Structure formats: C-alpha cells, structure tokens
Coordinates of all heavy atoms in Angstrom, one line a residue:
M77 N -179.5 205.9 5.8 CA -179.1 204.5 5.6 C -177.9 204.6 4.6 O -178.0 205.3 3.7 CB -180.2 203.8 5.2 CG -179.9 202.3 5.2 SD -181.4 201.2 4.9 CE -182.0 201.1 6.5
Y78 N -177.0 203.7 4.8 CA -175.8 203.6 3.9 C -176.0 202.7 2.8 O -176.9 201.7 2.8 CB -174.7 203.1 4.7 CG -174.1 204.2 5.7 CD1 -174.6 204.1 7.0 CD2 -173.3 205.2 5.4 CE1 -174.3 205.0 8.1 CE2 -173.0 206.2 6.4 CZ -173.5 206.0 7.6 OH -173.0 207.0 8.6
P79 N -175.4 203.0 1.6 CA -175.7 202.1 0.4 C -175.0 200.7 0.4 O -175.4 199.9 -0.5 CB -175.2 203.0 -0.8 CG -174.2 203.9 -0.1 CD -174.6 204.1 1.3
F80 N -174.2 200.6 1.3 CA -173.6 199.2 1.4 C -173.4 198.9 3.0 O -173.3 199.7 3.7 CB -172.3 199.1 0.7 CG -171.2 199.9 1.1 CD1 -170.3 199.6 2.1 CD2 -171.1 201.2 0.6 CE1 -169.3 200.4 2.5 CE2 -170.1 202.0 0.9 CZ -169.2 201.6 2.0
N81 N -173.3 197.5 3.2 CA -173.2 197.1 4.5 C -171.9 196.3 4.7 O -171.8 195.3 4.1 CB -174.4 196.3 4.8 CG -174.5 195.8 6.2 OD1 -173.6 195.8 7.0 ND2 -175.8 195.3 6.6
V82 N -171.0 196.7 5.6 CA -169.8 196.0 5.9 C -170.0 195.2 7.1 O -170.4 195.6 8.1 CB -168.6 196.9 6.0 CG1 -167.3 196.0 6.3 CG2 -168.4 197.7 4.8
R83 N -169.8 193.9 7.0 CA -170.1 192.9 8.1 C -168.7 192.2 8.5 O -167.9 192.0 7.5 CB -171.1 192.0 7.7 CG -172.4 192.6 7.3 CD -173.5 191.7 7.0 NE -174.1 191.1 8.2 CZ -174.9 191.7 9.1 NH1 -175.2 193.0 9.0 NH2 -175.3 191.0 10.2
V84 N -168.6 191.9 9.7 CA -167.4 191.1 10.1 C -167.8 189.9 11.0 O -168.9 189.9 11.6 CB -166.5 192.0 11.0 CG1 -165.8 193.0 10.2 CG2 -167.2 192.5 12.2
Y85 N -167.2 188.8 10.7 CA -167.4 187.5 11.4 C -166.1 187.0 11.9 O -165.0 187.1 11.2 CB -168.1 186.5 10.5 CG -169.5 187.1 10.2 CD1 -169.8 187.8 9.0 CD2 -170.6 186.9 11.1 CE1 -171.0 188.2 8.8 CE2 -171.8 187.3 10.8 CZ -172.1 188.0 9.7 OH -173.4 188.5 9.4
G86 N -166.1 186.2 13.0 CA -164.8 185.7 13.5 C -164.9 184.2 13.6 O -166.0 183.6 13.9
L87 N -163.7 183.5 13.6 CA -163.6 182.2 13.9 C -163.0 182.1 15.3 O -161.9 182.5 15.5 CB -162.7 181.4 12.9 CG -163.2 181.4 11.4 CD1 -162.1 180.7 10.7 CD2 -164.4 180.5 11.4
L88 N -163.7 181.5 16.2 CA -163.2 181.3 17.6 C -162.9 179.9 17.8 O -163.8 179.0 17.6 CB -164.2 181.8 18.6 CG -163.8 181.7 20.1 CD1 -162.5 182.6 20.3 CD2 -164.9 182.0 21.0
I89 N -161.6 179.5 17.9 CA -161.2 178.1 18.0 C -160.6 177.9 19.3 O -159.7 178.6 19.8 CB -160.1 177.8 16.8 CG1 -160.7 178.2 15.5 CG2 -159.7 176.3 16.9 CD1 -159.7 178.2 14.4
N90 N -161.2 176.8 19.9 CA -160.7 176.5 21.3 C -159.5 175.6 21.3 O -159.0 175.2 20.3 CB -161.8 176.1 22.3 CG -162.3 174.6 21.9 OD1 -161.8 173.9 21.1 ND2 -163.4 174.3 22.4
E91 N -159.0 175.2 22.5 CA -157.9 174.4 22.6 C -158.1 172.9 22.0 O -157.1 172.1 21.9 CB -157.4 174.3 24.1 CG -158.3 173.6 25.0 CD -159.5 174.6 25.6 OE1 -159.4 175.8 25.2 OE2 -160.2 174.1 26.5
H92 N -159.2 172.6 21.7 CA -159.6 171.3 21.2 C -159.9 171.4 19.7 O -160.4 170.4 19.1 CB -160.8 170.6 21.9 CG -160.7 170.5 23.4 ND1 -159.9 169.6 24.0 CD2 -161.3 171.2 24.4 CE1 -159.9 169.8 25.3 NE2 -160.8 170.8 25.5
N93 N -159.6 172.5 19.1 CA -159.7 172.8 17.6 C -161.1 172.7 17.3 O -161.5 172.3 16.2 CB -158.9 171.9 16.8 CG -157.5 172.3 16.8 OD1 -157.1 173.5 16.8 ND2 -156.5 171.3 16.6
E94 N -162.1 173.1 18.2 CA -163.5 173.3 18.0 C -163.8 174.7 17.6 O -163.3 175.6 18.2 CB -164.4 172.9 19.2 CG -164.1 171.4 19.6 CD -164.7 171.1 20.9 OE1 -164.6 171.9 21.8 OE2 -165.2 170.0 21.1
V95 N -164.6 175.0 16.6 CA -165.1 176.3 16.1 C -166.4 176.6 16.7 O -167.3 175.8 16.5 CB -164.9 176.3 14.6 CG1 -165.5 177.7 14.1 CG2 -163.6 175.9 14.1
L96 N -166.6 177.8 17.2 CA -167.8 178.3 17.7 C -168.7 178.8 16.5 O -168.3 179.6 15.7 CB -167.6 179.5 18.6 CG -168.9 180.1 19.2 CD1 -169.5 179.1 20.1 CD2 -168.5 181.4 20.0
I97 N -169.9 178.3 16.6 CA -171.0 178.7 15.6 C -172.2 179.0 16.5 O -172.4 178.4 17.5 CB -171.3 177.8 14.5 CG1 -171.7 176.4 14.9 CG2 -170.1 177.7 13.5 CD1 -172.2 175.5 13.9
S98 N -173.1 179.8 15.9 CA -174.4 180.1 16.8 C -175.5 179.9 15.8 O -175.5 180.1 14.7 CB -174.4 181.5 17.3 OG -174.4 182.4 16.2
D99 N -176.6 179.3 16.4 CA -177.9 179.3 15.7 C -178.7 180.5 16.2 O -178.9 180.7 17.4 CB -178.6 178.0 16.2 CG -177.9 176.7 15.7 OD1 -177.5 176.8 14.5 OD2 -178.0 175.7 16.4
E100 N -179.3 181.2 15.2 CA -180.0 182.4 15.4 C -181.3 182.5 14.7 O -181.5 181.7 13.7 CB -179.2 183.7 15.1 CG -177.9 183.7 16.0 CD -177.2 185.0 15.7 OE1 -177.7 185.9 15.1 OE2 -176.0 185.2 16.2
Q101 N -182.2 183.3 15.1 CA -183.4 183.5 14.4 C -183.6 185.0 14.3 O -183.5 185.8 15.2 CB -184.6 182.9 15.2 CG -185.9 183.1 14.4 CD -187.0 182.2 15.0 OE1 -186.7 181.3 15.7 NE2 -188.3 182.7 14.8
E102 N -184.0 185.4 13.0 CA -184.2 186.9 12.8 C -185.2 187.0 11.6 O -185.1 186.2 10.7 CB -183.0 187.6 12.4 CG -183.1 189.2 12.4 CD -181.8 189.8 12.2 OE1 -180.8 189.3 12.7 OE2 -181.7 191.0 11.7
Y103 N -186.2 187.9 11.8 CA -187.3 188.0 10.8 C -187.9 186.7 10.4 O -188.3 186.5 9.3 CB -186.7 188.8 9.6 CG -186.0 190.1 9.8 CD1 -184.6 190.1 9.7 CD2 -186.6 191.1 10.3 CE1 -183.9 191.3 9.8 CE2 -185.9 192.2 10.6 CZ -184.6 192.4 10.3 OH -184.0 193.6 10.6
G104 N -188.1 185.9 11.4 CA -188.8 184.6 11.2 C -188.0 183.5 10.5 O -188.5 182.5 10.2
M105 N -186.7 183.8 10.4 CA -185.7 182.8 9.6 C -184.8 182.3 10.6 O -184.2 183.1 11.4 CB -185.2 183.4 8.4 CG -186.0 183.8 7.3 SD -185.2 184.5 5.9 CE -184.5 185.9 6.6
R106 N -184.5 181.1 10.6 CA -183.5 180.4 11.5 C -182.2 180.2 10.6 O -182.3 179.9 9.5 CB -183.9 179.1 12.0 CG -185.0 179.3 13.0 CD -185.4 178.1 13.7 NE -184.3 177.4 14.4 CZ -183.8 177.7 15.6 NH1 -184.4 178.7 16.3 NH2 -182.8 177.1 16.2
F107 N -181.0 180.5 11.2 CA -179.8 180.3 10.5 C -178.6 180.0 11.4 O -178.7 180.3 12.6 CB -179.5 181.5 9.5 CG -179.5 182.8 10.3 CD1 -178.4 183.4 10.8 CD2 -180.7 183.5 10.4 CE1 -178.3 184.6 11.4 CE2 -180.7 184.7 11.0 CZ -179.5 185.3 11.6
T108 N -177.6 179.5 10.8 CA -176.3 179.2 11.7 C -175.2 180.0 11.1 O -175.1 180.2 9.9 CB -176.0 177.7 11.5 OG1 -177.1 176.9 12.1 CG2 -174.7 177.4 12.3
K109 N -174.5 180.7 11.9 CA -173.4 181.6 11.5 C -172.3 181.6 12.5 O -172.5 181.1 13.6 CB -174.0 183.0 11.2 CG -174.4 183.7 12.6 CD -174.9 185.1 12.4 CE -174.9 186.0 13.5 NZ -173.7 186.3 14.1
F110 N -171.2 182.3 12.2 CA -170.1 182.5 13.0 C -170.5 183.8 13.8 O -171.2 184.6 13.3 CB -168.8 182.8 12.2 CG -168.2 181.6 11.5 CD1 -168.3 181.6 10.1 CD2 -167.8 180.5 12.1 CE1 -167.8 180.5 9.4 CE2 -167.4 179.4 11.5 CZ -167.4 179.4 10.1
P111 N -169.9 184.1 15.0 CA -170.2 185.3 15.7 C -169.7 186.6 14.9 O -168.7 186.5 14.2 CB -169.3 185.2 17.0 CG -169.1 183.7 17.1 CD -169.1 183.2 15.7
G112 N -170.5 187.5 14.9 CA -170.3 188.8 14.2 C -171.4 189.5 13.7 O -172.6 189.1 14.1
G113 N -171.2 190.4 12.9 CA -172.4 191.3 12.4 C -172.0 192.5 11.7 O -170.7 192.7 11.3
G114 N -172.8 193.5 11.6 CA -172.5 194.7 10.8 C -171.8 195.7 11.6 O -171.9 195.8 12.8
L115 N -170.9 196.5 10.9 CA -170.1 197.5 11.5 C -170.9 198.7 11.7 O -171.9 199.0 11.0 CB -168.9 197.8 10.6 CG -167.7 196.9 10.4 CD1 -166.7 197.6 9.5 CD2 -167.2 196.5 11.7
E116 N -170.6 199.4 12.8 CA -171.3 200.7 13.0 C -170.6 201.8 12.2 O -169.4 201.7 11.8 CB -171.3 201.0 14.5 CG -172.1 200.1 15.3 CD -172.0 200.3 16.8 OE1 -171.3 201.2 17.2 OE2 -172.7 199.4 17.5
P117 N -171.3 202.9 11.8 CA -170.6 203.9 11.0 C -169.3 204.5 11.6 O -169.3 204.7 12.9 CB -171.6 205.1 11.0 CG -173.0 204.4 11.2 CD -172.7 203.2 12.0
G118 N -168.2 204.5 10.9 CA -166.9 204.9 11.4 C -166.1 203.9 12.1 O -165.0 204.2 12.6
E119 N -166.7 202.7 12.3 CA -166.0 201.7 13.1 C -165.1 200.8 12.3 O -165.4 200.5 11.1 CB -167.1 200.8 13.7 CG -166.5 199.7 14.7 CD -167.6 199.0 15.4 OE1 -168.6 198.6 14.7 OE2 -167.6 198.8 16.6
G120 N -163.9 200.5 12.8 CA -163.0 199.6 12.1 C -163.3 198.2 12.2 O -164.1 197.7 13.0
L121 N -162.7 197.4 11.2 CA -162.9 196.0 11.2 C -162.6 195.3 12.6 O -163.5 194.5 13.1 CB -162.1 195.3 10.1 CG -162.5 195.7 8.7 CD1 -161.4 195.1 7.7 CD2 -163.9 195.4 8.3
I122 N -161.4 195.6 13.1 CA -161.0 194.9 14.4 C -161.9 195.3 15.5 O -162.4 194.5 16.4 CB -159.5 195.1 14.6 CG1 -158.7 194.3 13.5 CG2 -159.1 194.6 16.0 CD1 -157.2 194.6 13.6
D123 N -162.1 196.6 15.6 CA -163.0 197.0 16.8 C -164.3 196.5 16.7 O -165.0 196.1 17.7 CB -163.0 198.6 16.7 CG -161.7 199.3 17.2 OD1 -161.0 198.5 17.9 OD2 -161.4 200.3 16.9
G124 N -164.9 196.5 15.4 CA -166.3 196.0 15.2 C -166.3 194.5 15.6 O -167.3 194.1 16.2
L125 N -165.3 193.7 15.2 CA -165.3 192.3 15.5 C -165.2 192.0 17.0 O -166.0 191.2 17.6 CB -164.2 191.6 14.9 CG -164.2 190.0 14.9 CD1 -165.5 189.5 14.4 CD2 -163.0 189.5 14.2
K126 N -164.4 192.8 17.8 CA -164.3 192.8 19.1 C -165.7 193.1 19.8 O -166.1 192.4 20.8 CB -163.2 193.6 19.7 CG -161.9 193.1 19.4 CD -160.7 194.0 19.9 CE -159.3 193.7 19.6 NZ -158.4 194.5 20.3
R127 N -166.3 194.1 19.3 CA -167.6 194.5 19.9 C -168.6 193.4 19.6 O -169.5 193.1 20.5 CB -168.1 195.8 19.3 CG -169.4 196.3 19.7 CD -170.0 197.6 18.9 NE -169.9 197.3 17.5 CZ -170.7 196.6 16.7 NH1 -171.7 196.0 17.3 NH2 -170.6 196.6 15.5
E128 N -168.7 192.9 18.5 CA -169.7 191.8 18.2 C -169.5 190.6 19.1 O -170.4 190.0 19.5 CB -169.6 191.4 16.7 CG -170.1 192.4 15.8 CD -171.7 192.5 15.8 OE1 -172.3 191.6 16.4 OE2 -172.3 193.6 15.3
F129 N -168.2 190.2 19.3 CA -167.9 189.1 20.3 C -168.4 189.3 21.6 O -168.9 188.6 22.3 CB -166.5 188.6 20.2 CG -166.2 187.5 19.2 CD1 -165.9 187.9 17.9 CD2 -166.3 186.2 19.6 CE1 -165.6 186.8 17.1 CE2 -166.0 185.2 18.7 CZ -165.7 185.5 17.4
L130 N -168.2 190.6 22.1 CA -168.7 191.0 23.5 C -170.2 191.0 23.5 O -170.8 190.5 24.5 CB -168.2 192.5 23.8 CG -166.8 192.5 24.4 CD1 -166.3 193.9 24.5 CD2 -166.6 191.8 25.7
E131 N -170.9 191.5 22.5 CA -172.3 191.5 22.4 C -172.9 190.2 22.4 O -173.9 189.9 23.0 CB -172.8 192.4 21.2 CG -172.6 193.9 21.4 CD -173.0 194.6 20.1 OE1 -173.5 194.0 19.2 OE2 -172.8 195.8 20.0
E132 N -172.4 189.3 21.5 CA -173.0 188.0 21.2 C -172.6 187.0 22.2 O -173.3 186.0 22.5 CB -172.7 187.6 19.7 CG -173.5 188.5 18.8 CD -173.3 188.0 17.4 OE1 -172.8 186.9 17.1 OE2 -173.6 188.8 16.5
C133 N -171.3 186.9 22.6 CA -170.7 185.9 23.4 C -170.3 186.2 24.7 O -169.8 185.4 25.6 CB -169.5 185.2 22.6 SG -169.9 184.8 21.0
N134 N -170.3 187.6 25.1 CA -169.7 188.1 26.3 C -168.3 187.6 26.6 O -168.1 187.2 27.6 CB -170.7 187.7 27.5 CG -170.5 188.6 28.7 OD1 -170.1 189.7 28.5 ND2 -170.6 187.9 29.9
V135 N -167.5 187.7 25.5 CA -166.1 187.3 25.7 C -165.3 188.4 24.9 O -165.6 188.9 23.8 CB -165.9 185.9 25.1 CG1 -166.2 185.8 23.7 CG2 -164.4 185.3 25.3
A136 N -164.1 188.7 25.5 CA -163.2 189.6 24.9 C -162.2 188.8 24.1 O -161.7 187.8 24.6 CB -162.4 190.4 26.0
V137 N -162.0 189.2 22.8 CA -161.1 188.3 22.0 C -160.0 189.2 21.5 O -160.0 190.4 21.5 CB -161.9 187.9 20.8 CG1 -163.0 186.9 21.1 CG2 -162.6 189.0 19.9
E138 N -158.9 188.4 21.1 CA -157.7 189.0 20.5 C -157.9 188.6 19.0 O -157.9 187.5 18.7 CB -156.4 188.5 21.0 CG -155.2 189.0 20.4 CD -154.0 188.4 20.9 OE1 -154.0 187.7 21.9 OE2 -153.0 188.5 20.3
V139 N -157.8 189.6 18.1 CA -157.9 189.3 16.7 C -156.4 189.1 16.3 O -155.6 189.9 16.3 CB -158.5 190.4 15.9 CG1 -158.5 190.2 14.3 CG2 -160.0 190.8 16.4
T140 N -156.2 187.8 15.7 CA -154.8 187.4 15.4 C -154.6 187.3 13.9 O -153.5 187.1 13.4 CB -154.5 186.1 16.0 OG1 -155.4 185.1 15.5 CG2 -154.6 186.1 17.5
G141 N -155.6 187.5 13.1 CA -155.4 187.4 11.6 C -156.7 187.7 10.9 O -157.7 188.0 11.4
H142 N -156.5 187.7 9.6 CA -157.6 188.1 8.6 C -157.6 187.0 7.5 O -156.5 186.7 7.0 CB -157.4 189.5 8.2 CG -158.2 189.9 7.0 ND1 -158.1 189.8 5.7 CD2 -159.5 190.5 7.2 CE1 -159.1 190.3 5.1 NE2 -160.1 190.7 5.9
F143 N -158.8 186.5 7.2 CA -158.8 185.5 6.1 C -159.7 185.8 5.0 O -159.6 185.2 3.9 CB -159.0 184.2 6.6 CG -160.4 183.9 7.2 CD1 -161.4 183.3 6.4 CD2 -160.8 184.2 8.5 CE1 -162.6 183.2 6.8 CE2 -161.9 183.9 9.0 CZ -163.0 183.4 8.1
L144 N -160.6 186.8 5.1 CA -161.5 187.0 4.0 C -162.2 188.4 4.2 O -162.6 188.8 5.3 CB -162.7 186.0 4.0 CG -163.8 186.2 2.9 CD1 -163.3 186.0 1.5 CD2 -165.0 185.2 3.3
Y145 N -162.3 189.1 3.1 CA -163.1 190.4 3.1 C -164.1 190.3 2.0 O -163.7 190.0 0.8 CB -162.1 191.6 2.9 CG -162.8 192.9 2.7 CD1 -163.4 193.6 3.7 CD2 -162.9 193.5 1.5 CE1 -164.0 194.8 3.6 CE2 -163.5 194.7 1.3 CZ -164.2 195.3 2.3 OH -164.7 196.5 2.2
H146 N -165.3 190.6 2.3 CA -166.4 190.6 1.2 C -167.3 191.8 1.5 O -167.7 192.1 2.7 CB -167.2 189.3 1.3 CG -168.3 189.2 0.3 ND1 -169.3 190.0 0.2 CD2 -168.4 188.3 -0.8 CE1 -170.0 189.7 -0.8 NE2 -169.5 188.7 -1.5
R147 N -167.6 192.5 0.5 CA -168.5 193.7 0.5 C -169.7 193.5 -0.5 O -169.3 193.1 -1.6 CB -167.7 194.9 0.3 CG -168.5 196.2 0.3 CD -167.7 197.4 0.1 NE -167.4 197.5 -1.4 CZ -166.7 198.4 -2.0 NH1 -166.0 199.3 -1.4 NH2 -166.5 198.4 -3.3
F148 N -170.8 193.9 -0.2 CA -171.9 193.8 -1.1 C -172.7 195.1 -1.1 O -172.7 195.8 0.0 CB -172.8 192.6 -0.9 CG -173.5 192.6 0.4 CD1 -174.8 193.1 0.5 CD2 -172.9 192.1 1.5 CE1 -175.5 193.2 1.7 CE2 -173.7 192.1 2.7 CZ -175.0 192.6 2.8
L149 N -173.4 195.4 -2.2 CA -174.2 196.6 -2.4 C -175.6 196.3 -2.0 O -176.2 195.3 -2.5 CB -174.0 197.2 -3.8 CG -174.8 198.4 -4.0 CD1 -174.1 199.6 -3.3 CD2 -174.7 198.8 -5.5
C150 N -176.1 197.0 -1.1 CA -177.5 196.7 -0.7 C -178.5 197.5 -1.6 O -178.6 198.8 -1.6 CB -177.8 197.2 0.7 SG -179.4 197.1 1.4
K151 N -179.2 196.8 -2.4 CA -180.0 197.4 -3.5 C -181.2 198.1 -2.8 O -181.8 199.2 -3.3 CB -180.5 196.3 -4.5 CG -179.4 195.8 -5.3 CD -180.0 194.8 -6.3 CE -178.7 194.3 -7.1 NZ -179.2 193.2 -8.2
I152 N -181.6 197.6 -1.7 CA -182.8 198.3 -0.9 C -182.4 199.6 -0.4 O -183.2 200.5 -0.3 CB -183.2 197.4 0.2 CG1 -183.8 196.0 -0.3 CG2 -184.3 198.0 1.1 CD1 -184.0 195.1 0.9
C153 N -181.1 199.8 -0.1 CA -180.6 201.1 0.5 C -180.4 202.2 -0.6 O -180.3 203.3 -0.2 CB -179.4 200.9 1.2 SG -179.5 199.7 2.5
L154 N -180.5 201.9 -1.9 CA -180.2 202.8 -2.9 C -181.4 203.7 -3.2 O -182.6 203.4 -3.1 CB -179.8 202.1 -4.2 CG -178.4 201.5 -4.2 CD1 -178.2 200.7 -5.4 CD2 -177.3 202.4 -3.8

C-alpha cells in the first residue's frame, strides 16, 4: 500500500452550463462528488481522469485544463 493517495476529479460541463455530479454510497456512507477517483500506480493525472470518466460515466472526455491539485498523506497507510 502507498503512503499517500493521489485522486483526480473532473468538471464535466454541458452546452447548458450544467455541471455533472454523482450521488454515491461507499462503506455505508452516502456522498455527492464530481466524477473521478484514485490514480493507479504509475498512472498520470490526465490518463487517470480519462479512465475514471470511462468507468463511472461510460464517456470519453477531452481534458482541456487544470484547476486544482491537492495531495494528502494517508495516516492509515504508514
């Protein structure tokens, strides 16, 4: 297991300026989030985001920009 987890999320905006969000449930908790998730070992940010959109939305996306990068240390993994 890796000591930190890099995650990517995307803003998918349609022609009506609507943003896609999803309601999900994991480990008994419900939450709302943008499409995305954790990178696989050795995977780049853009490739990971494209993979996550295919997995979660069944849609191929073009990544046109970057607006935030955040990394956190997973204390459980240490």
